Amino acid sequence: MIIRLLLILFYLPIIGISQPKTIKTDIFTVVYSEEYEQPLQVRYKVLCPFGDASRQGLDFRKYDGVHTSDNYDYIGNPYDKGHIAPAAAFNCDRDMVKATFSYLNCALQHEGLNRGPWKELERFERDLAKAHFPKQIKVKIEILFQEENYLPTGALIPSGFKKIITTPYDTWEFEFPNKDVAGKDWSNFRIN
């Protein structure tokens, strides 16, 4: 199995498929697929559970040197520019919030998920961070792709999202389908 994976990774550049890039920013680390125009994984720590910096007027921007999705991928469909590392986890100051508005940290996330259970889980995550302060909460998000469902603009629509929240005492793991789950409780998606 390991040999097969190594061979696949070796031949990706030869057959024209780019390997995912790992990029460490000041606030999160992302594994990004230029082919999918979507992140594959994002890791971060909740740094500012008590912050209140404004996100007003901010919009997502491209990241130099990486072929990402762009605004055109989010027009005329039910997908939001879903923050993977949430702006509210980094609202210590305006610069930190602004750093979350990168297409590296953005996925095609169904609006019924992004504005519903996902948003509520992000609130729970901050509540955990407040309860365990000053210890930091670690979060890992895997963006799942089970089928090839590309938009005409070239970005691949994720099939789901897996979020693992680690506190000093517990681990919470959730898996969400990338569809309209508005009105459902975020806790229904816990898998451990």
Side-chain angles (χ1 to χ4, degrees), residues 7-24:
L7 286 172
I8 290 169
L9 291 175
F10 175 78
Y11 283 106
L12 284 177
I14 295 170
I15 59 175
I17 299 173
S18 63
Q19 294 185 31
K21 294 183 176 185
T22 300
I23 301 158
K24 183 169 177 35

Side-chain angles (χ1 to χ4, degrees), residues 95-108:
D95 288 338
M96 285 183 79
V97 172
K98 186 177 179 181
T100 69
F101 281 84
S102 164
Y103 281 108
L104 287 179
N105 183 40
C106 179
L108 288 155

